[in-house]
Amino acid sequence: MRAQVPDWNSPRARALIAAGNTGGLIRWARHERGWRQIDLGRATGYSASAVSRLETAERPATDLDMLKSFAGALVIPPGVLAAVLGVTPPQATTVATAGWQDEPGEDPMKRRALLTVGLAAPLYVLNNLDESLALLPEPASAPTPSGLLADFRTAQALFNSGAHAKLVETLPNLLAIAEACAASREAADYARLAACYDLATEALSKIGRHSASRITADRSTTYSRLSGSPLAAAASARAFSIVLRHQGRADMAQRVTLHAASQVEATGLTTPAQAAAFAQMLCTVSYAAAEAGDRDRALEMIGEAERAAALLPEPAVGPQSFTVTPASVSLYKVGVLRSLGDAGAAVHAGRNLRAAQFRTAERRGRLHTDMARAYWQWGKPEQTAHALLAAHRAAPSEVHDRPSIRAIVTDLTRRHPRTSGIRELAAAVGVRSARR
């Protein structure tokens, strides 16, 4: 039978893509080409039973090497495979909204307004990353653990400085190298691979690419488990909790982080790295609990984190290390109290925090944006504007690139256009100032 060129815009194909039915799409494409399961197996080096298992699996396919082979043999376009895997939307979706999911309770009109101001990275860079999550490129250089560590540190520095566009551009090659190194199946390589996916998750979550961040979070969770390291698992749980909270699943985020904290605690906390990881997870559990409305646990955990942080030595820096200080815990407390609705208490908790207490531009910017969110919740527009101006001076991307922060800027300019600092803030961020 002569092979046909599948019509990826056909109703059947679009239904499979929309449902995220990877196995169904492979089966449909195989039928369109007139192939049997044994034919696809022969073309890719897999058995017919392996093809059958993938096509009939009830859970989403996760064997990316197999998917890459099948997609290549069936000539499935990268964008189509990325869409069915959930890292990009179906083709009929407007390109400008790729990877965007509404925040819980977010006004759709506000979301559309935010989309008009531009993306945190050029669209071709974002789409390239989306496709790379489906079919990773070949590494640009020979993969070695030392080279991977150097590339990871470079990427981490980009995140710390707020260079989100450049970071997103480097992620496909970083992940490709990390995946190649993990082919050795060594525990340390799995831990490093998980760390790379954690970094991707944090960056993607920050700039609002939530569907892609779910993919990277899932992979990090898998690889951290393979590593057997409680610290790697804790880092993955922390990143995963960010994704879950964006999905409105704070209860699940709380359970995930609490489990990871218990695993770290089971180590006996005999090393500084273990103690720092435990203190970090207490912070993360506290924030997740606050988002879930569990006031008692949120306050209990942040109190425990304060006591743990006071006993920590100078923090180390590395791919799987946590930087926890009394100041960083206090910043978490600001977010916890704000999430619980205690805006005045949140501002009080952060009253003595100073930018010099934080090592990176990202954290310094986050200090000011967290205070701004507390001021905004408290109904103090002038203090909100000046906190956001301070954030913009410390790390412009913390204001430019985060959809939730841009939303506050937009609201400020619309509702309080004559308040001190608003016009300057609107000009700095590129939001049109309202006129009254």
Side-chain angles (χ1 to χ4, degrees):
M1 183 182 296
R2 183 181 178 183
Q4 301 177 20
V5 178
D7 178 6
W8 302 109
N9 286 313
S10 70
R12 179 57 178 162
R14 295 203 58 77
L16 292 168
I17 293 170
N21 189 342
T22 313
L25 187 70
I26 294 291
R27 183 172 58 251
W28 176 81
R30 176 174 60 78
H31 286 165
E32 288 292 293
R33 294 184 64 82
W35 282 6
R36 301 167 297 171
Q37 289 179 339
I38 194 171
D39 297 323
L40 178 56
R42 286 171 177 168
T44 57
Y46 289 91
S47 65
S49 61
V51 176
S52 177
R53 285 194 297 273
L54 184 142
E55 290 184 348
T56 59
E58 294 182 0
R59 299 181 63 184
T62 56
D63 189 331
L64 295 182
D65 288 335
M66 180 185 290
L67 285 175
K68 184 175 181 179
S69 296
F70 288 178
L74 295 170
V75 199
I76 298 177
V80 171
L81 188 58
V84 76
L85 288 172
V87 297
T88 61
Q91 291 174 349
T93 303
T94 302
V95 172
T97 64
W100 186 292
Q101 292 179 356
D102 291 346
E103 300 284 349
E106 183 179 50
D107 182 353
M109 290 297 292
K110 180 185 296 181
R111 178 178 65 82
R112 286 194 288 272
L114 291 173
L115 287 173
T116 65
V117 300
L119 299 169
L123 195 56
Y124 77 90
V125 172
L126 295 169
N127 287 341
N128 181 56
L129 176 60
D130 285 344
E131 294 190 1
S132 295
L133 291 177
L135 298 171
L136 281 173
E138 292 297 320
S141 58
T144 64
S146 60
L148 173 60
L149 183 57
D151 288 345
F152 178 88
R153 286 174 173 163
T154 298
Q156 183 71 65
L158 291 173
F159 179 85
N160 290 341
S161 66
H164 298 143
K166 183 62 175 177
L167 172 59
V168 172
E169 190 173 7
T170 65
L171 282 175
N173 188 57
L174 176 70
L175 296 174
I177 292 174
E179 290 273 7
C181 287
S184 66
R185 301 182 184 273
E186 295 292 331
D189 291 321
Y190 280 133
R192 284 189 283 265
L193 177 55
C196 291
Y197 275 114
D198 288 337
L199 180 60
T201 300
E202 286 202 67
L204 291 167
S205 296
K206 189 181 286 287
I207 66 175
R209 303 286 288 191
H210 300 309
S211 59
S213 71
R214 178 59 194 251
I215 299 294
T216 55
D218 284 343
R219 292 182 188 171
S220 174
T221 299
T222 297
Y223 291 127
S224 65
R225 287 174 180 167
L226 289 173
S227 77
S229 166
L231 301 191
S236 294
R238 177 178 176 271
F240 193 18
S241 73
I242 298 172
V243 175
L244 290 170
R245 293 198 306 270
H246 278 298
Q247 293 179 331
R249 304 177 66 191
D251 284 329
M252 177 61 72
Q254 183 181 185
R255 293 197 294 273
V256 166
T257 53
L258 193 60
H259 175 69
S262 66
Q263 288 185 309
V264 175
E265 187 176 26
T267 65
L269 309 182
T270 57
T271 69
Q274 292 169 351
F278 184 60
Q280 174 62 64
M281 294 314 297
L282 291 174
C283 291
T284 308
V285 171
S286 176
Y287 193 78
E291 290 282 289
D294 189 343
R295 183 182 184 86
D296 290 341
R297 172 163 285 166
L299 296 179
E300 177 188 359
M301 292 295 100
I302 200 64
E304 291 289 340
E306 288 176 317
R307 288 185 283 275
L311 301 176
L312 291 175
E314 184 72 14
V317 177
Q320 286 295 336
S321 65
F322 292 94
T323 301
V324 184
T325 65
S328 69
V329 175
S330 292
L331 184 54
Y332 260 96
K333 190 172 185 177
V334 171
V336 167
L337 292 169
R338 180 192 56 78
S339 293
L340 291 173
D342 295 341
V347 170
H348 184 75
R351 70 193 186 284
N352 293 324
L353 292 176
R354 300 292 180 268
Q357 295 173 294
F358 299 89
R359 289 183 171 186
T360 68
E362 186 269 340
R363 286 290 95 183
R364 291 190 289 271
R366 189 61 181 259
L367 162 64
H368 296 302
T369 57
D370 279 8
M371 293 298 291
R373 294 175 76 182
Y375 279 125
W376 184 236
Q377 186 184 74
W378 203 8
K380 297 185 177 296
E382 183 175 346
Q383 290 90 333
T384 302
H386 286 287
L388 290 177
L389 282 169
H392 191 269
R393 289 191 292 270
S397 59
E398 282 298 298
V399 184
H400 280 289
D401 296 350
R402 292 173 61 191
S404 61
I405 301 302
R406 289 195 71 100
I408 294 176
V409 176
T410 300
D411 283 346
L412 278 168
T413 59
R414 186 179 71 247
R415 295 162 56 183
H416 306 279
R418 298 188 182 280
T419 299
S420 172
I422 299 297
R423 288 186 181 276
E424 183 183 354
L425 176 64
V429 181
V431 173
R432 182 176 297 177
S433 181
R435 295 182 178 178
R436 286 186 180 176

